[in-house]
Amino acid sequence: MAARRKVALVGIGKIARDQHVPALAASPDWALAATVSRSGAIDGVESHTDFAAMLAARPDIGTVSLCMPPVPRYDYAAAALRAGRHVMLEKPPGATLAEVHDLQRLADAAGLTLFATWHSRMAHAVAPARAWLADRTVRTAHITWREDVRKWHPGQDWVFEPGGMGVFDPGINALSILTHILPAPVHLTAATLEFPSNRQTPIAADLSFSGGVTANFDWRQEGPQTWDIEVETDRGAIALRMGGNRLEVDGAEVAGENSIMGEYPALYAQMARLVETGLSDVDLAPMVHVADAMTLGRRVTVAPFDF
Ligand code: NAP
């Protein structure tokens, strides 16, 4: 077996602990060689608090995986690429489209891999849904993405700060699936965004797209969570449920898992293939829809929100 490649994990918070660390521990491709975080560390792994110091101290670590929120991520990614390291980005890949274009330019110029990950695209039922839709004509599609921000982002005020994207932080997962499975692209035509009176980003959004596609995102849902995409075509209907992990065709379940735990191992396997083959994978289509919603959206002020 080939030696595992060394990776440094940067930003040891909720998603690093929930998904990246277990995925790396089980990976045949990667060895977690160091972490960088101002306050977090992983037992048994060399830890740094300063990113530049880690890059200088560990030239043998060829890849960094960035798990901090989107606003600070560009500076870390650019520094890593300038230091000759391959870079894997959590979703959403940045705070703005232009900064991710710039990262792509840096990676291309240096012959390095940049992987803008979309973990929901790795959900169990997404590939079969994409294959099923490939030769059909979509009549309508509706996304219902309603979850509890207190459960998934406990105390994370950054989601309500500029660049935190608010309810689009989970909503972009739905858009990453939509843009991957639809056989033809769509574009946003209207949006209504609900902003808590004390916050900078929306807590709910209703979106309309060309091609009969609509979406409802809401971060105030307590109890059971809903992550559904329902698509009607010229020849039957499908529903993706559980964030893309279960698939129904004409009302009957045909594929699925209740767990999302396969998504991050699949991302790291893909990163290994990209590094091996010298390629990048940066698809900004989901983020274009979010930027368009922020551009075109009608603003409604709703009740203040506190964690
Ligand atoms: P988080 O726990 O709030 O933040 C992760 C870590 O980033 C923090 O522990 C912090 O580490 C570091 N960080 C925060 N602000 C920083 C700054 N200004 N500069 C440098 N480092 C900073 O957030 P998270 O939930 O893990 O989310 C991080 C990313 O993963 C987001 O893009 C999110 O969309 C994505 N994601 C999250 C989930 C989820 O369920 N929460 C699921 C999938 C994807 P230190 O303070 O120790 O440096």
Side-chain angles (χ1 to χ4, degrees):
M1 195 174 102
R4 293 186 298 158
R5 294 175 193 278
K6 293 174 191 166
V7 59
L9 205 51
V10 188
I12 304 301
K14 187 172 189 316
I15 198 60
R17 292 181 192 283
D18 287 359
Q19 296 290 343
H20 290 257
V21 171
L24 287 168
S27 172
D29 303 308
W30 297 100
L32 177 54
T35 61
V36 183
S37 209
R38 296 162 307 179
S39 55
I42 303 296
D43 280 351
V45 180
E46 177 184 311
S47 67
H48 296 255
T49 53
D50 183 79
F51 188 54
M54 187 283 292
L55 290 172
R58 297 296 306 267
D60 56 314
I61 298 177
T63 298
V64 301
S65 179
L66 302 180
C67 304
M68 71 283 289
V71 168
R73 205 178 298 128
Y74 170 84
D75 287 343
Y76 285 78
L81 291 167
R82 290 197 177 101
R85 316 304 163 90
H86 305 292
V87 173
M88 184 162 155
L89 303 169
E90 251 299 348
K91 52 63 52 172
T96 70
L97 290 163
E99 69 181 34
V100 188
H101 287 303
D102 191 52
L103 295 177
Q104 176 77 81
R105 182 187 60 77
L106 284 173
D108 289 349
L112 294 163
T113 292
L114 180 68
F115 183 19
T117 66
W118 299 109
H119 66 86
S120 291
R121 285 186 177 174
M122 299 299 188
H124 297 281
V126 170
R130 176 181 160 100
W132 191 88
L133 286 168
D135 59 355
R136 288 175 164 82
T137 301
V138 172
R139 302 271 193 236
T140 63
H142 184 67
I143 299 171
T144 310
W145 221 255
R146 301 174 66 95
E147 62 174 55
D148 183 352
V149 63
R150 291 188 174 92
K151 176 176 168 66
W152 302 103
H153 294 277
Q156 292 180 7
D157 281 312
W158 65 262
V159 299
F160 286 114
E161 290 297 314
M165 294 193 190
V167 76
F168 289 107
D169 179 88
I172 204 168
N173 298 335
L175 297 173
S176 76
I177 296 175
L178 183 83
T179 49
H180 191 60
I181 64 172
L182 287 186
V186 296
H187 60 269
L188 189 100
T189 55
T192 302
L193 311 176
E194 295 185 23
F195 286 75
S197 58
N198 59 339
R199 298 289 185 170
Q200 297 291 327
T201 62
I203 198 163
D206 278 303
L207 310 179
S208 298
F209 297 85
S210 59
V213 178
T214 52
N216 170 251
F217 302 156
D218 202 316
W219 238 351
R220 297 165 296 195
Q221 176 150 311
E222 295 174 1
Q225 311 282 282
T226 311
W227 299 291
D228 290 347
I229 302 177
E230 293 162 317
V231 186
E232 296 208 2
T233 77
D234 57 333
R235 285 179 291 127
I238 58 168
L240 277 167
R241 307 205 187 279
M242 284 296 296
N245 281 289
R246 307 191 76 87
L247 177 63
E248 296 168 8
V249 176
D250 294 327
E253 183 157 296
V254 297
E257 293 267 341
N258 266 334
S259 163
I260 66 160
M261 291 306 282
E263 296 174 15
Y264 282 79
L267 290 178
Y268 277 101
Q270 171 71 353
M271 182 65 181
R273 282 192 292 272
L274 290 169
V275 170
E276 181 74 33
T277 52
L279 297 173
S280 285
D281 180 349
V282 182
D283 176 12
L284 294 178
M287 203 167 148
V288 167
H289 291 319
V290 174
D292 284 359
M294 297 292 199
T295 304
L296 201 55
R298 180 175 299 275
R299 180 186 180 111
V300 176
T301 301
V302 298
F305 177 87
D306 292 297
F307 281 104

